[in-house]
Structures are given as C-alpha cells and as structure tokens.
C-alpha cells in the first residue's frame, strides 16, 4: 500500500509510524486511518519488529477526526458504514505493544487513538481533550469508555462535558500517561522504552499485553485465572529457560522469541 498521510520506518527492532498531515494538525481522515491500520498490522506480522511507536508532529499528535470529512455526513451514512469502526478497529487487532509518543494536541479522536495504544509517553507540551461536545457530537472511538477507566469517572465526565484540555502534568497525575519527558527528548525516550520491550521475549511481551487488556473485559476472578494460565504457558517457552538460567549465571538473557 502506498502511504500518503503516514511515514513508516524501522529502527532496530522498533517500528515507527508517524502521522503526517501537519497542515491539518493530523486531523484523522479515512484514508490516514486505513494506512495506519495497514502499517501497524504489517509491523505486527513482521518477525523483525518487537515493539511499535506511534507519534505525530511537534504541534499535534492528532487534533481529532477530520471535521471536514464528517461535516456532510448524515445519520444513515454513519450508521450504514458503522462510521469509524472499519479502520479504527484494526488497531485493536495489533498484538505487539504500541507506545503512543504524544506532543502537542491529542484531541477527540486523537486522544482516543492515543488511548488505544498500550501506554502513552507525553512530551511536556502535550494537551489532551475530548472536545466533541462543542461540535454537537459525543466521542465515538472510546472517549466515554476508555477515559473513565484511565482517569476516573469524575475527570472523564469533566473532560467530555466541558471540553476542557488537560496538560501533560494533569494527565500524568490522573494516570492517563505513564511518563512525561521534555519535548525534544520525546522520540528518544519512546524509542528507549520500545527497545527495552523489543529485547524481551516476544511471546511473553504479547502475553502481558493480552493479560493486562483482559483486566478491562472481565471479572477479577476470571482475569486472575486467565493470567495464571498464561503464566503457566510461559514455562513452555525456551525463553523462560533462558531468562532464569541467565539470572542464575549472572549474565544478560538472550531471548529468541520461542
Ligand atoms: C479538520 C482540522 C482539525 C480537525 C485542526 N484542523 N483540527 N481540520 N479536522 N479536527 C485544521 C484547521 O482547520 C486548520 O486548517 C489547521 O488544521 C490548523 O488549525 P488551527 O485551528 O488554525 O490551529 P490553532 O489555532 O493552533 O488551533 C489548534 C486547535 C484547533 C485548538 C487544535 O485546530 C481545534 O480546535 N481543532 C479541532 C479540535 C476538535 O474539535 N477535535 C475533535 C474533532 S471530532 P486551515 O486549512 O484553516 O489552515 C472527533 C470525533 C472522533 O475527533 C469520533 C471518532 C473518531
């Protein structure tokens, strides 16, 4: 697939996708989301990639879904096409970790896209918000669902109902982002984290992602059982033997992903 609105590269075992419609502050259009899903799934299927970083520009991770594209749609249009599901749901199919490296605006669908990633590293310039209410719509890609799970009902209601933005400090305090870094260090820090992950055992990494995500979908009892069964499964890997042997021999492990 020829990409128009994203840039894709690999550095070592880390795949990088950069949203690239700077003139529109990375307002996410249909084509761009199709490209994003395609690129993420290609990295997911590549043996050479162990972790993925998704980023935007200095000014905007993404300022939301593309309002010019949405403005002319009516109810029948969005219902029939199940608007946004087709492309955006692809991201949920990615089984390797995806780190969102967010600088500038992450608004509406941009904030929702960041929350679809596995964790968010924020530049000190990052600003998060769900301003859809100002357009007469509600968040449609998880803002009313992932945000309360991430930052509490009270803060999620505040953000979605008043459309106010949260700066990086508040987002970190609230638990939306895992860490804040200086803006000029954002990609380096995201890569450093991704490289750490990519050097781990890939099946183990994938099991952790699957297990943490299960916490959002199930009861504690079922989640604990799911975790324990995956934990047992790690003992069937050569990487478990290597990891424990390396510890006992006081050396670094060399994981093979098997
Ligand atoms: C289309 C957008 C856009 C968007 C910015 N632009 N956001 N185009 N859709 N979401 C365009 C502007 O029209 C402008 O184009 C250019 O990007 C620069 O934006 P400015 O507004 O001039 O920049 P600035 O004054 O710095 O303000 C930045 C901003 C503002 C605060 C981020 O652009 C803004 O409020 N954007 C809309 C944010 C929003 O409402 N997001 C939610 C969208 S709804 P021109 O051609 O004039 O230079 C949504 C629903 C998701 O996301 C549903 C499920 C997917």
């Amino acid at each position: 697939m020829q990409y128009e609105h994203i840039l894709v590269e690999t550095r070592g075992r880390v795949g990088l996708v950069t949203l690239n419609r700077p003139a529109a502050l990375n307002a996410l259009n249909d084509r761009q989301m199709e490209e994003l899903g395609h690129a993420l799934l290609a990295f997911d299927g590549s043996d050479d990639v162990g972790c993925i970083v998704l980023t935007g520009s200095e000014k905007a991770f993404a300022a939301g879904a593309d309002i010019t594209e949405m403005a002319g749609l009516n109810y029948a249009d969005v219902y029939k096409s199940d608007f946004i599901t087709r492309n955006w749901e692809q991201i949920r199919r990615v089984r390797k970790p995806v780190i969102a490296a967010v600088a500038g605006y992450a608004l509406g669908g941009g904030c929702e896209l960041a929350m679809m990633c596995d964790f968010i590293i924020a530049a000190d310039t990052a600003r998060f918000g769900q301003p859809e209410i100002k357009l007469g719509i509600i968040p449609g890609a998880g803002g009313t669902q992932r945000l309360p799970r991430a930052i509490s009902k009270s803060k999620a209601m505040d953000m979605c109902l008043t459309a106010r933005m949260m700066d990086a400090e508040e987002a970190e305090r609230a638990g939306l982002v895992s860490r804040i870094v200086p803006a000029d260090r954002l990609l380096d820090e995201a890569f450093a984290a991704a490289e750490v992950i990519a050097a781990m055992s890939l099946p183990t990494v994938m099991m952790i992602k699957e297990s943490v995500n299960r916490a959002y979908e199930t009861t504690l009892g079922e989640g604990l059982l799911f975790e324990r069964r995956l934990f047992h499964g790690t003992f069937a890997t050569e990487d478990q033997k290597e990891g424990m042997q390396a510890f006992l021999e006081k050396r670094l492990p060399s994981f093979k992903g098997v």
Side-chain angles (χ1 to χ4, degrees):
M1 182 180 205
Q2 196 74 25
Y3 298 139
E4 277 175 56
H5 301 313
I6 61 170
L7 304 172
V8 173
E9 65 180 279
T10 311
R11 292 189 204 170
R13 286 185 46 75
V14 178
L16 172 68
V17 181
T18 306
L19 301 168
N20 189 34
R21 289 186 74 214
L25 301 184
N26 284 328
L28 303 162
N29 65 19
D30 201 43
R31 169 79 200 182
Q32 192 176 22
M33 290 309 293
E34 193 175 342
E35 291 177 7
L36 177 60
H38 186 273
L40 291 176
L41 288 171
F43 280 147
D44 206 38
S46 163
D47 288 340
D48 300 329
V49 170
C51 189
I52 302 165
V53 174
L54 174 62
T55 196
S57 70
E58 226 172 87
K59 189 167 177 198
F61 176 75
D66 190 333
I67 299 167
T68 47
E69 208 175 62
M70 288 186 292
L73 300 177
N74 62 32
Y75 176 73
D77 294 330
V78 294
Y79 184 80
K80 280 191 297 184
S81 67
D82 208 8
F83 181 60
I84 81 113
T85 301
R86 188 174 63 85
N87 291 334
W88 293 60
E89 287 285 306
Q90 298 299 316
I91 296 158
R92 292 187 70 195
R93 292 177 50 207
V94 178
R95 297 177 67 209
K96 291 174 186 167
V98 183
I99 301 172
V102 175
Y105 297 112
L107 302 177
C111 186
E112 291 169 315
L113 176 59
M115 288 192 290
M116 285 179 201
C117 299
D118 298 304
F119 62 96
I120 302 173
I121 298 182
D124 48 16
T125 58
R127 303 189 75 191
F128 299 87
Q130 298 290 161
E132 287 91 338
I133 194 167
K134 290 201 289 186
L135 301 169
I137 58 172
I138 75 167
T144 66
Q145 300 303 305
R146 290 196 179 92
L147 203 55
R149 285 167 168 82
I151 68 172
S152 85
K153 173 187 162 186
S154 186
K155 264 192 187 293
M157 284 284 190
D158 180 359
M159 305 271 299
C160 293
L161 290 172
T162 69
R164 82 175 174 86
M165 290 188 215
M166 229 183 217
D167 64 17
E169 293 277 336
E170 185 179 2
E172 190 192 30
R173 271 201 314 276
L176 182 60
V177 312
S178 67
R179 31 180 140 157
I180 305 176
V181 299
D184 60 356
R185 298 269 318 142
L186 178 64
L187 262 195
D188 288 342
E189 297 287 343
F191 265 104
E195 276 159 11
V196 168
I197 294 166
M200 302 294 180
S201 162
L202 182 58
T204 308
V205 162
M206 292 167 71
M207 285 184 213
I208 287 174
K209 171 165 175 165
E210 196 174 4
S211 197
V212 172
N213 281 335
R214 186 56 68 101
Y216 286 97
E217 306 287 352
T218 193
T219 61
L220 180 60
E222 287 299 320
L224 289 171
L225 182 60
F226 183 83
E227 178 192 73
R228 199 175 331 127
R229 294 297 176 238
L230 287 181
F231 167 71
H232 292 160
T234 60
F235 286 78
T237 66
E238 286 179 24
D239 285 344
Q240 172 265 336
K241 307 283 176 279
E242 167 63 11
M244 294 193 179
Q245 201 56 37
F247 176 82
L248 295 175
E249 291 170 8
K250 301 191 187 305
R251 61 172 171 84
L252 289 174
S254 172
F255 293 121
K256 302 271 186 309
V258 288

